[in-house]
Every structure is written in C-alpha cells, then in structure tokens.
C-alpha cells in the first residue's frame, strides 16, 4: 500500500511539472496514472486484508486443534500414570498379604490387606479399562486430526491461490481501464 502511494506521488510530481509547461495528453496520462495508484492501493489493501482474514482464521483453527490434541494426550498420560500407580499399589498389597500369611498373620490385619487389595484391584481394573478406551479415542482423534489437517492445508492453499488470482484480475482490470488514456499520448 505505501509503495503504491509513493509511486503515485512521484507520478503526481512528474505530471505537475509536465502539465505546468503545457497541458498535453502525456501530462494528462501521467496524472491519470498518479490518480490511478489510489485505486490500486485500495485493491492492494483489500487483498491483503482478505488474505490475512482467510489464512489467519484457518491457522487459528489449526492451532486450537493442536492444543486440543495436546490436552487429550496429557489427559491420557495422566490416566496412564494413575493406572501405573494402581498397578504398583496392587503388587505392594499382594506382597504384604503374602508376608502376613506366611508368618501366620493376625486375621484382622490379613482381612484389612485383603479389603485394600480388592478395592485397589477394582480401581486398577477400571483404570486399565479407561486407559484402553482413552488410547482408542486418542488414536481415532489423531487419525481425524491428520485428515482434517490435510484438508485444512489444502483449503489454505486453495484460498490463497484464489485470492492471488482475484488480486491479479483486479489489478489487470484496473490497468486496462487506464490503457486508453495512455494510448491517447501522441508521440
């Protein structure tokens, strides 16, 4: 935008100098090009805004998807850590029970360890089930994410190409509108 504005200012100066000597088709064409740069600048700014909007929205969506995947994986890791702790606790309780039983332990202590072991085993089994479900969900979500990512990148490239073609077409039409003025210059 700024470069086109400066380009136009230069043409304005040249056109004014040329026109101050004598108003000719050349000075008129130079001033027309100068005035035309404002229109070109608007086309350029509109194009840049549209390009930013389309690409930025898609990239923002992509970043949010990446964050969601990261959060899901972190939850899976937390489930796995809880499962592993329960696995360890279960083994510890089994070991305690075996020690107590091998020493002919007191029935109330053995019963307490048995109850703790049963409760921990149920929690462990639930944790194992939850981890398996979560792993399937994560795998499915990663497949979907990979597919969507490809689709989104394709969309970004398509929108970008369409924006460039639209921009080029507008610039061409704009310059073609100025061509008759330039053609009127008699050399």
């Amino acid at each position: 935008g700024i470069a086109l504005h400066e380009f136009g200012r230069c043409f304005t100066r040249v056109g004014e100098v040329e026109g101050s000597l004598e108003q000719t088709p050349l000075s008129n064409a130079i001033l027309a090009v100068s005035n035309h740069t404002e229109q070109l600048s608007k086309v350029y700014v509109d194009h840049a805004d549209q390009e930013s909007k389309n690409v930025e929205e898609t990239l923002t969506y992509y970043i949010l998807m990446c964050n969601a995947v990261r959060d899901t994986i972190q939850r899976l890791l937390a489930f796995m850590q809880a499962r592993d702790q329960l696995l360890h606790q279960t083994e510890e309780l089994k070991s305690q029970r075996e020690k107590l039983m091998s020493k002919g332990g007191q029935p109330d202590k053995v019963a307490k360890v048995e109850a703790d072991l049963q409760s921990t085993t149920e929690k462990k089994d639930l944790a194992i089930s939850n981890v398996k479900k979560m792993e399937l969900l994560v795998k499915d979500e990663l497949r979907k994410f990979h597919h969507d990512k490809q689709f989104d990148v394709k969309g970004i490239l398509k929108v970008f190409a369409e924006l460039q073609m639209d921009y080029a077409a507008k610039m061409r039409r704009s310059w073609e509108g100025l061509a008759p003025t330039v053609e009127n210059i008699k050399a």
Side-chain angles (χ1 to χ4, degrees):
I2 293 173
L4 282 173
H5 179 71
E6 290 303 314
F7 179 71
R9 283 184 48 198
C10 290
F11 268 99
T12 299
R13 300 292 183 264
V14 171
E16 287 170 352
V17 169
E18 186 69 28
S20 69
L21 300 174
E22 177 183 357
Q23 193 115 49
T24 65
L26 176 60
S27 66
N28 291 339
I30 292 171
L31 288 172
V33 168
S34 167
N35 294 331
H36 188 71
T37 58
E38 288 298 320
Q39 180 185 0
L40 294 176
S41 182
K42 182 179 177 350
V43 168
Y44 177 80
V45 168
D46 289 347
H47 168 74
D49 288 345
Q50 190 66 22
E51 189 175 76
S52 293
K53 179 183 168 225
N54 285 325
V55 173
E56 201 173 294
E57 284 175 1
T58 304
L59 291 177
T60 299
Y61 171 73
Y62 180 71
I63 288 168
L64 292 174
M65 280 184 64
C66 288
N67 288 339
V69 168
R70 183 195 66 220
D71 292 345
T72 302
I73 289 173
Q74 286 175 341
R75 280 195 306 277
L76 172 61
L77 292 174
F79 275 116
M80 292 172 90
Q81 184 178 16
R83 177 206 56 198
D84 292 347
Q85 287 174 347
L86 288 167
L87 285 168
H88 179 72
Q89 286 175 357
T90 302
E91 293 305 314
E92 289 285 322
L93 289 169
K94 284 180 183 178
S95 177
Q96 284 179 15
R97 181 185 64 186
E98 294 304 318
K99 269 186 180 176
L100 285 172
M101 292 176 82
S102 69
K103 293 181 180 180
Q106 299 170 353
D108 59 329
K109 285 186 179 182
V110 172
K112 166 118 175 61
V113 170
E114 285 283 344
D116 289 348
L117 178 60
Q118 184 175 347
S119 173
T120 303
T121 300
E122 288 171 4
K123 290 176 186 175
K124 174 199 68 156
D125 292 344
L126 181 60
I128 288 171
S129 174
N130 286 339
V131 166
K132 286 180 182 177
K133 288 175 187 175
M134 190 72 158
E135 285 175 334
L136 290 173
L137 177 66
V138 167
K139 286 178 184 176
D140 187 49
E141 288 297 318
L142 286 175
R143 269 189 235 106
K144 181 181 174 190
F145 174 73
H146 180 69
H147 176 266
D148 290 352
K149 179 184 66 168
Q150 289 178 336
F151 180 76
D152 288 342
V153 170
K154 178 183 176 183
I156 289 171
L157 295 175
K158 184 178 177 185
V159 166
F160 185 75
E162 289 170 354
L163 285 170
Q164 297 307 315
M165 290 185 293
D166 182 56
Y167 173 70
K170 287 177 182 175
M171 293 298 275
R172 180 182 179 108
R173 283 191 304 273
S174 181
W175 281 109
E176 284 174 344
L178 188 61
T181 304
V182 174
E183 290 297 325
N184 284 335
I185 300 171
K186 298 197 179 7

